[in-house]
Structures are given as C-alpha cells and as structure tokens.
Amino acid sequence: MWADGTVWLEPEVLFSGPRQAFEFPQINYKKFSMKKYTYAYALGLNHFIPDRICKLNVKTKETWVWQEPDSYPSEPIFVATPNAVDEDDGVILTVVVTPGAGQRPAYLLILNAKDLTEVARAEVETIIPVTFHGMYKP
C-alpha cells in the first residue's frame, strides 16, 4: 500500500508449464481467508483436460501432484483437520471420473493435504458427470 492509501498490484507467475494450467484454486479458507497463505490446491489441466490435482507453495513455487492414468478429478476441496496447527494440516476431497473399461466409473478421493498421498477412496457403481465446482460446509 502506498502512503496515499492506494494499492498497487503486480502479477507474478506462480505456476507454468507447456500446455499446463492451475485452475479453480483452493486454500485453507477457514484460517487464511484475506491473510497471507503458503499453500494453494488446484485442478491441473493438460490441453484443457483436468487430469491431476496440484498443490503449490506460493512462496517457493514447489509443487506436488496426484495423477493416475485415465482418471479425471474435479475441483479439489480443502478440509482442515479439527484443531489443526499447520496451514496444510487436513485433507483434499475430489470426485474422480474413470471412464476406462474394466473400472468403476467414479470415486471420491481423499488425499493428505501435506503431500497429496492417497488416504482413501470410495468407489461407486454410478456414473457421475465430470464437475468443476464442489462445496464443503462443516
């Protein structure tokens, strides 16, 4: 903020790659809305196809990725661990569509928000349409 009260913003590239995108970002809104934060989670797109979940450290630009062949996740939703201390202490929820033959058509994927390792998945026999937006209300 300038002395006269005006705010000046400058763009900064946080995530880039050939034909890559970091879309529908989410943060730990419960603790960091309108505050400086370190981690963002997003849907990674390759040629406009959502095929991965990404975590980005916005300060160091370090990234983590969850991806499986023929799997198309929806927008990630961050859910904090009750009484969490760390900003990334929680899980990421995403619905994953798997249209390949011989697989169940979709599942709810739960990832550890610290490193995007799989915690659990709940497979269903129902076709779920690909979605971009989800919501979690505690």
Side-chain angles (χ1 to χ4, degrees), residues 104-126:
R104 292 198 168 135
Y107 56 92
L108 171 66
L109 179 65
I110 304 170
L111 300 172
N112 182 324
K114 288 194 177 288
D115 59 9
L116 298 189
T117 56
E118 185 172 329
V119 173
R121 68 175 67 188
E123 297 177 332
V124 295
E125 296 288 345
T126 302

Side-chain angles (χ1 to χ4, degrees), residues 36-121:
K36 288 188 177 187
Y37 58 90
T38 301
Y39 301 108
Y41 305 89
L43 189 57
L45 280 71
N46 184 16
H47 293 284
F48 302 105
I49 298 172
D51 66 350
R52 67 197 73 186
I53 297 294
C54 302
K55 175 183 179 179
L56 171 68
N57 181 319
V58 299
K59 295 175 181 172
T60 67
K61 299 183 176 86
E62 180 180 7
T63 59
W64 296 259
V65 174
W66 174 90
Q67 184 176 30
E68 286 186 0
D70 301 316
S71 297
Y72 306 99
S74 64
E75 174 184 1
I77 300 169
F78 178 85
V79 180
T81 300
N83 303 315
V85 175
D86 296 330
E87 176 182 345
D88 59 351
D89 190 2
V91 295
I92 298 298
L93 305 177
T94 183
V95 173
V96 180
V97 176
T98 54
Q103 318 186 77
R104 292 198 168 135
Y107 56 92
L108 171 66
L109 179 65
I110 304 170
L111 300 172
N112 182 324
K114 288 194 177 288
D115 59 9
L116 298 189
T117 56
E118 185 172 329
V119 173
R121 68 175 67 188

